[in-house]
Amino acid sequence: MLTIGKLAAETGVKVPTVRYYEQIGLLPPPERSSGNQRLYGPLARQRLAFIRHARALGFPLEAIRDLLSLSDRPELPCSAADAIAKAQLAAVQARIAQLKALEQELQRMVIQCAHGTIADCRVIEVLGDHGQCAHDHHTVPEAME
Amino acid sequence: MLTIGKLAAETGVKVPTVRYYEQIGLLPPPERSSGNQRLYGPLARQRLAFIRHARALGFPLEAIRDLLSLSDRPELPCSAADAIAKAQLAAVQARIAQLKALEQELQRMVIQCAHGTIADCRVIEVLGDHGQCAHDHHTVPEAME
DNA sequence: CTAATGTCTCTAGTAACTATAGCTGCAAGA
DNA sequence: TCTTGCAGCTATAGTTACTAGAGACATTAG
Ligand SMILES: [Zn+2]
Ligand SMILES: [Zn+2]
Ligand SMILES: [Zn+2]
Ligand SMILES: [Zn+2]
C-alpha cells in the first residue's frame, strides 16, 4: 500500500492532482490509514496511470471518465471506446490544420518586418488588418486542454 | 457612434466579450449615452478588430495588451513587437510538433483495434500502458488558448 | 523527544470567456 | 398613450484541469 506521495511519485502526478481526481470521481475513494491518510493499492496505481496516459494523449477528463467505465466492462463491444479515440484523433487533426495556418501567417509577419519603428512594423500592421493575411484562419483557436 | 450590439456585430465579437475586454482594461471605457449605454467610435472599433485578429492568431490576451501599448507608441523600435510575434510562432510550432506525435499514437490505436470486445480493445490496452506507444509524447498538452 | 517532512481539508486562483438573473432604456405597433 | 419586446446594464457564477495557499494533524529521522 502506497501513501499519496509515493503514488504520485510513481506515476509522475502531483499530489493535489490525485486528490482532485478523487474529488471529481475519476479515482475511487481509497482506504485510509489509522491516521486518516490515503492508502493506495496496485489497482489504483493502474487506474491513475491510465488517466495520465490518456491525458498525455489529449483526451479530456470527461472522455477519460467514459473510457474508464468502459474498461470496467470487458465483455462489451469496444465500438464506444473506438469512437472516443476517433473523435480525439479528429480533434487533434483539426487543431493541427488550424495551427499550420496560424504558423504561416505568423511566419509571414515575422519575415516581412524590416525591424524599423512600430509605425512601420509589419507585425503591428498585419494584426490591425486581416486583409493583409494570405489565409483565412478565421476562428479563434480553441483550447484542447 | 455605435452601441455595443452594433460594434459586436461589426467585429464578430459577442457583446459580453466586449464588456469583458473593457473590464480587464484591453478596451478603454467608452462614452455613455444619456441612458448610460456604451457608445463606441471608429478608434474603439479598430482596437477591437486588432484584439480579435491577434486572438485569432493565438496570441494570449497578455501579449495583446503589450502589443496594443506598443502600437500606441509608433516612434519606438519594433523589436519588442517582433519578439512577441516570434515567441507566438515558436509556441505554435512547438504545439504542432507535439500534436503530430499525439496524432500518430492515436492513429496507431485506432487502426490496430480489431473491433471486438473491450477486453481485446487496442485503444483501452494502449491507454493503460505507454510501453505500447511508439513515441514519447510524455507531457500533457498544454492549452495555448 | 523533537524537528522536519508529509498529509489532511478547504478555499481561491489561473485563461478567456460564457451564461444567468434581475433590472432599466428605448423604439415601434395598436 | 400604452405596451410589448428587444437591447443594454450590473454583478455573479460556471467552464477545464488543475495549482497554490492556509492552518491543523500524522509520521518518521535523528
Ligand atoms: Zn517589426
Ligand atoms: Zn488574418
Ligand atoms: Zn477497440
Ligand atoms: Zn504513450
Side-chain angles (χ1 to χ4, degrees):
Chain A
M1 294 308 245
L2 302 166
T3 63
I4 196 170
K6 314 257 180 182
L7 176 71
E10 274 201 16
T11 53
V13 178
K14 289 178 188 154
V15 168
T17 304
V18 177
R19 289 196 278 247
Y20 170 70
Y21 287 160
E22 178 186 336
Q23 190 197 320
I24 64 170
L26 275 192
L27 289 175
E31 295 178 49
R32 298 287 182 130
S33 73
S34 58
N36 197 36
Q37 301 196 346
R38 290 170 177 84
L39 292 177
Y40 296 93
L43 280 179
R45 211 195 61 246
Q46 214 178 314
R47 199 173 172 93
L48 181 55
F50 185 103
I51 295 171
R52 280 326 277 193
H53 196 209
R55 286 292 298 129
L57 288 165
F59 288 88
L61 290 181
E62 272 317 296
I64 296 172
R65 190 190 299 279
D66 295 342
L67 288 166
L68 281 169
S69 67
L70 285 168
S71 81
D72 288 337
R73 309 213 176 288
E75 77 285 359
L76 289 184
C78 76
S79 48
D82 296 0
I84 293 172
K86 275 182 200 153
Q88 175 63 13
L89 175 59
V92 166
Q93 286 169 337
R95 189 98 165 92
I96 290 172
Q98 188 184 24
L99 288 174
K100 279 185 176 167
L102 301 197
E103 185 194 14
Q104 297 216 359
E105 293 306 335
L106 289 165
Q107 221 149 27
R108 267 169 46 99
M109 281 170 43
V110 165
I111 289 171
Q112 291 179 0
C113 178
H115 308 302
T117 66
I118 291 279
D120 306 317
C121 181
R122 189 75 183 152
V123 170
I124 300 291
E125 185 185 348
V126 173
L127 287 177
D129 176 19
H130 172 59
Q132 309 280 336
C133 281
H135 298 78
D136 238 15
H137 74 75
H138 36 59
T139 52
V140 172
E142 289 298 323
M144 198 161 38
E145 312 305 290
Chain B
M1 294 308 246
L2 301 165
T3 62
I4 196 171
K6 314 258 180 181
L7 175 70
E10 274 200 16
T11 53
V13 179
K14 288 178 189 153
V15 168
T17 304
V18 178
R19 289 196 279 245
Y20 171 70
Y21 288 160
E22 178 186 336
Q23 190 197 319
I24 64 170
L26 275 193
L27 288 176
E31 295 179 48
R32 299 286 183 130
S33 73
S34 58
N36 198 36
Q37 302 197 344
R38 290 170 177 82
L39 292 178
Y40 296 93
L43 279 179
R45 211 196 62 246
Q46 212 179 315
R47 198 171 173 94
L48 181 54
F50 185 103
I51 295 170
R52 279 328 273 194
H53 196 210
R55 286 293 296 129
L57 288 166
F59 288 89
L61 290 182
E62 272 318 296
I64 296 172
R65 189 189 300 279
D66 295 343
L67 288 167
L68 281 169
S69 68
L70 286 169
S71 80
D72 288 340
R73 310 214 174 286
E75 77 286 359
L76 289 184
C78 76
S79 48
D82 295 0
I84 293 172
K86 276 182 199 152
Q88 174 62 14
L89 174 58
V92 166
Q93 285 170 337
R95 189 95 166 96
I96 289 172
Q98 188 184 23
L99 288 174
K100 278 185 178 168
L102 301 197
E103 184 193 15
Q104 297 216 359
E105 292 307 337
L106 289 165
Q107 220 148 27
R108 267 169 46 98
M109 282 171 41
V110 165
I111 288 170
Q112 290 179 1
C113 178
H115 308 302
T117 66
I118 292 279
D120 307 316
C121 181
R122 189 74 182 152
V123 170
I124 300 291
E125 186 186 347
V126 173
L127 286 177
D129 175 18
H130 172 59
Q132 308 281 335
C133 280
H135 297 78
D136 239 15
H137 74 76
H138 36 60
T139 51
V140 171
E142 289 299 322
M144 196 160 40
E145 312 304 291

